[in-house]
Amino acid sequence: MIRLYGKRPFSSRLVIAAVFSALAGSVLYAWIPDPGLYPELSQSTAIFDSRDRLIRLTLNSEDAYRLFVPIEEIPKDMIDATLLYEDRFFYRHPGVNPCSIVRALCNSIILKGRLTGASTITMQTARMRFSLKTTTIPGKIIQILRALQLERHYSKERILEAYFNLAPYGRNIEGIGAAGLIYFGKRPMDLSFPEALSLAVIPQNPSARCPSDKSGYIRMDEARQALFQRYVAVNPSYAKDSGLMSLPLACGSPETIPFKAPHFADYVLASQSVAPSGAVKTSLDLDLQDGIQAILSRHVKRRNNDGIKNAAALLIDTRTMSILSMAGSVDFFNSAISGQVNAATAKRSPGSALKPFVYALALDQGLIHPMTLLKDTPLRYGAYTPENFDGTFQGPLSATQALIRSRNVPALTLAGRLEDPDFYGFLKMAGISKMKDRDFYGLSLVLGGGEVSMIEMSELYAMLANGGVMKGVQFSGESSFSGIRLLSPEACYLVLDMLMKNPSPDQEFADEDKNSMVAWKTGTSWGFRDAWAAGVINDLALVVWVGDFTGAGNPSFVGRNTAGPIFFDILSFLRDRTGALQHPGPDINELNLEEVTVCAVSGGLPNCYTPKTVKTWFIPGVSPITVSTIHRAIAIDVKTGLRACCSGPPYTRDEVFEFWPSDISKIFHEAGIYRPEPPAFMEDCDLEDRDEKGMSPQIISPDSAVTYILRNDGAGGDRVPLEATAENGVKTLYWFADNAYIGQSRPSDIFLWEADAGRFQIRAVDDNGRVAIKTLTVMRE
C-alpha cells in the first residue's frame, strides 16, 4: 500500500468534516432569527354578553373568521385528541419526525405520487404560518427548516397554541376559537367531548369535512367516530361516552352567527381597541335586551296610527356605570325609520328632562329647599316672554311641585340666579359634547335649547344616584374611573326625593305624602320632535326616547304620554331584577340633612298665624330658611272695616290675611279662586304712621341684563315696558327714573315709558312707601 506522507486517512478527514459541519450547524441553529408566530395576522372580534353568550362575531381584515385562544383555554380532551390524530410523538421529536419523512419520500419516489404526509404539528404550523407550498420536495425542505426554526424559539405549548389558532376549519373559518363559536356556539373551554373530537378531525381535510352542509357533516362524523375508537384504545375509560358519540350534533354555519343587540355591538366596535384575544366580554344582558326591545316594538305597533314609528331605550347599572341594555331603535333593519341610526349616541333636544339639574344646583347654592315657594307667573326677559307647555300659569308652587309639573318660569327664574357654576358651566363640566358658546343659548338651555345623547342623559341621572359624582358609561362591567364631583350628595338626595313624587302616567295627581320610589322626569322638545322619559330606580338608570330621526315633529311626541308608558312598562319588566324598591341615591344616614317644619303655603318657617305646616328637608348652613310672611295679622278699625294705622283695642280688632304678590293674586282671580284681600288704610293714615312690614315690590321689567334698543317707528317700538308686582292691598305703583317721577300704574300692569338714550336707575314705589330698584340701559336707532 502506498502511503502519502503528510496526508491524513480519508476516514479521519470525514470525521473532522462532520464535526465542523455539526459545529457550524449548531452555530447557525443558535443564531437563527425569531420569525414570530402571529405577525400581522388580523383577528376577528367576538362580543359576548355578561353571561358569555355571543352577541356578534366579526370578519377580520382578510374576510375570514379568526379568534385567538390561549392554550390554557383549550380543553385537554381537545389537545389529546388532536395529538392522537395528527402527531402522536409531538413532545418527543425536535419538530420533524425522520421516520415519517423517509416514509413519505419513499411513497413519493416509488409510487410517483404527490409528496404528502409526514407533517408534524410543528411542520403544519410552519406551513400555515409562512403560507408554504409543501407538495414538492423543495417545498417540503423549506417546511422542515421553518419547523426547526420555530422549535428553536418556542416551547411545545406555544407551537401547539399556534396550531390551534391557525388551523383551517372549513370555508373562511380559521382557528379553534372561531370554529367553536360558529359550529357549536361555544368557546373551546365549553366544548363537549363529541364536539372536541369533531373539531380535531376537520383541519386534515377542511373542505370535505365542513359540518355546515350535509355531505361535509357525514364525512366529519365518519372521521370523528374513527378517532373515537383510537381514543378509547388509548384511554379505555372514555368507552362510556359511546352513547354520546352516537348522537347527532347540531352544527351552525357562518350564516347562523348571532347578530344580536346590533346598536350596542356597533357601539362597542367603535368605542374600543380590541384586545389581542379579540374576545370582548361586555356588561350587556341579552335577556334584558330582548325584553326591552320587545316592549319598544309593542308600544310602537300599538301607537302606529298616531305616527309613532320609532323608539329607543338605554339601561345602565349606576354602581358600575355598565350598559345593561341598549336598544338604539325599534328595528335595526328598517330603513324606512333609519333603523341603523343609534339613538343612544345621537344628539337630540332634551326638552325639560334636564330641569332636575337646575334644581340640584339651586339646592347646592342655597336658593331653595324642596318646599320653597316659587312663582309660576308671566315673566319678561326683554322681548322674550316664556310660557308653559300647556299655555297657562299656576301661580305659587313649591319647588317640588314646580319641578314635577315641569313649569318653565320657575326653572328659568332659578337658572337666572345660578352662578359658579351656572347651568351652562355645569353641563360643560359634565362633559356634554358639541356645546356651542354660552351666548348662543341664553336661557333656552334650561328648556331644551341644547342637545344631549341618551348616553349623556343616562350619565347625568346616574350622577344623582351616585351622590353627585359624574362618571362615564362603559360596557366592560368593571369601573376603574373615580369620577368628578359636580353636586353634593345632599342635593342629589333631595332632587331624587322630589322626583319620586312625580306620578306615573296612569296617575292624574301626585301625592306629596308618598314616594313611588321611582325618581323620574319627562321632556318634550320644541316642535314635538322628541319625547323623553329618564329616571332612577334602585341601582338602575333608564332613559327612553321616542321620535323621528328625520327631525319631523308630531303632536304625539309628548314625554309623559308617549315615552312615560314605555318607561314604566320597562320598569315592570325589571321588577324581578330590582327586588324591593328603595330610595335611590345616597344613604340619608350619612348626609348632612335635617328635617324642619315649614309653612305649607310659603315654605318659610311658620309664624304664629300659619294655619298649616308640613315637614321638609333642608341642608344646614346652605338652605334658605326665613320666617313666612304670607299670613299676617293686621289691625282693622271696628267702625269702618278699614286698616287702622295701629292696633288699639277696643277700637280695632286683629284679622289674619294672606298677602300674595299681585301677579299671583291675578292668577287666583282668573282661576276663580277666592282669596280675601286686606282692606285699604284709613284716609288719615300717613305713610310714617303705617306699621307695614310686608313685601317690597318686585320689578319684572326692565331686565338689567338687557340693553333696550328703541326705534322711532310710531308703533310702540320707541317705549320701554315697565312692570312690577306688589303684595295684596297695594293699589298704585309710582315710577321714577333716577330722581324724576315718570308715571304710575297698577301692580302687574305695564307702563310704557318714552325713554331717551342713556343709563337710568328705575325705581318702583308702592303706596306704602316700599321700593324696588333696577338699572335700565337704553339705545336709540
Side-chain angles (χ1 to χ4, degrees), residues 750-773:
I750 294 176
F751 170 67
L752 297 176
W753 176 46
E754 292 189 29
D756 295 326
R759 186 176 178 86
F760 306 90
Q761 186 182 72
I762 302 298
R763 288 183 297 155
V765 182
D766 68 16
D767 49 21
N768 293 317
R770 292 168 298 201
V771 181
I773 301 175

Side-chain angles (χ1 to χ4, degrees), residues 340-650:
Q340 295 189 22
V341 175
N342 189 355
T345 59
K347 304 283 281 189
R348 307 291 297 185
S349 169
S352 297
L354 297 184
K355 284 180 182 174
F357 305 98
V358 173
Y359 285 77
L361 289 168
L363 287 163
D364 260 345
Q365 295 183 20
L367 304 180
I368 60 169
H369 58 69
M371 286 301 296
T372 295
L373 177 67
L374 300 177
K375 294 199 303 182
D376 181 28
T377 57
L379 192 62
R380 183 186 300 274
Y381 293 95
Y384 173 50
T385 305
E387 294 183 347
N388 290 299
F389 178 79
D390 58 7
T392 67
F393 297 94
Q394 297 185 357
L397 295 170
S398 69
T400 297
Q401 285 298 311
L403 173 58
I404 65 177
R405 296 185 190 182
S406 199
R407 310 310 290 177
N408 288 339
V409 171
L412 288 169
T413 302
L414 289 177
R417 297 172 62 193
L418 295 176
E419 55 185 24
D420 196 25
D422 61 4
F423 191 51
Y424 177 88
F426 168 80
L427 294 179
K428 289 286 285 186
M429 290 190 295
I432 304 302
S433 63
K434 300 180 181 179
M435 290 188 67
K436 297 179 173 61
D437 293 338
R438 185 189 307 271
D439 293 340
F440 176 84
Y441 299 106
L443 293 172
S444 69
L445 196 59
V446 178
L447 308 181
E451 291 184 331
V452 298
S453 68
M454 293 179 69
I455 288 178
E456 291 169 336
M457 184 77 77
S458 70
E459 291 170 345
L460 287 168
Y461 276 81
M463 176 181 59
L464 297 176
N466 289 323
V469 177
M470 186 71 182
K471 300 179 182 180
V473 301
Q474 50 91 27
F475 50 78
S476 65
E478 298 178 359
S479 177
S480 58
F481 178 53
S482 58
I484 57 173
R485 178 168 295 284
L486 298 182
L487 296 169
S488 71
E490 289 78 12
C492 293
Y493 181 92
L494 293 180
V495 166
L496 289 171
D497 196 63
M498 294 160 73
L499 290 175
M500 284 193 299
K501 295 178 173 62
N502 191 9
S504 62
D506 58 354
Q507 293 177 290
E508 186 174 356
F509 301 106
D511 186 346
E512 290 201 23
D513 296 326
K514 295 182 180 179
N515 287 344
S516 68
M517 296 303 174
V518 179
W520 76 295
K521 181 74 179 70
T522 60
T524 303
S525 68
W526 183 84
F528 300 100
R529 291 176 171 84
D530 308 272
W532 294 79
V536 178
I537 177 173
N538 285 14
D539 54 10
L540 301 175
L542 173 63
V543 178
V544 173
W545 171 86
V546 177
D548 190 324
F549 287 140
T550 66
N554 183 335
S556 296
F557 293 167
V558 176
R560 185 170 190 83
N561 300 337
T562 305
I566 299 176
F567 183 91
F568 276 87
D569 268 9
I570 293 175
L571 292 188
S572 297
F573 168 68
L574 295 173
R575 189 169 297 157
D576 292 339
R577 180 185 179 91
T578 56
L581 297 183
Q582 301 175 353
H583 195 301
D587 183 354
I588 192 171
N589 297 315
E590 300 175 358
L591 301 180
N592 178 33
L593 288 176
E594 292 186 14
E595 197 172 33
V596 295
T597 300
V598 296
C599 171
V601 175
S602 70
L605 293 176
N607 60 29
C608 58
Y609 306 111
T610 299
K612 181 180 179 182
T613 61
V614 294
K615 296 284 189 179
T616 190
W617 294 106
F618 83 111
I619 308 173
V622 178
S623 298
I625 295 294
T626 58
V627 177
S628 174
T629 60
I630 294 295
H631 300 90
R632 299 203 306 270
I634 60 174
I636 302 296
D637 182 81
V638 294
K639 291 183 178 180
T640 65
L642 299 176
R643 291 178 69 174
C645 300
C646 57
S647 179

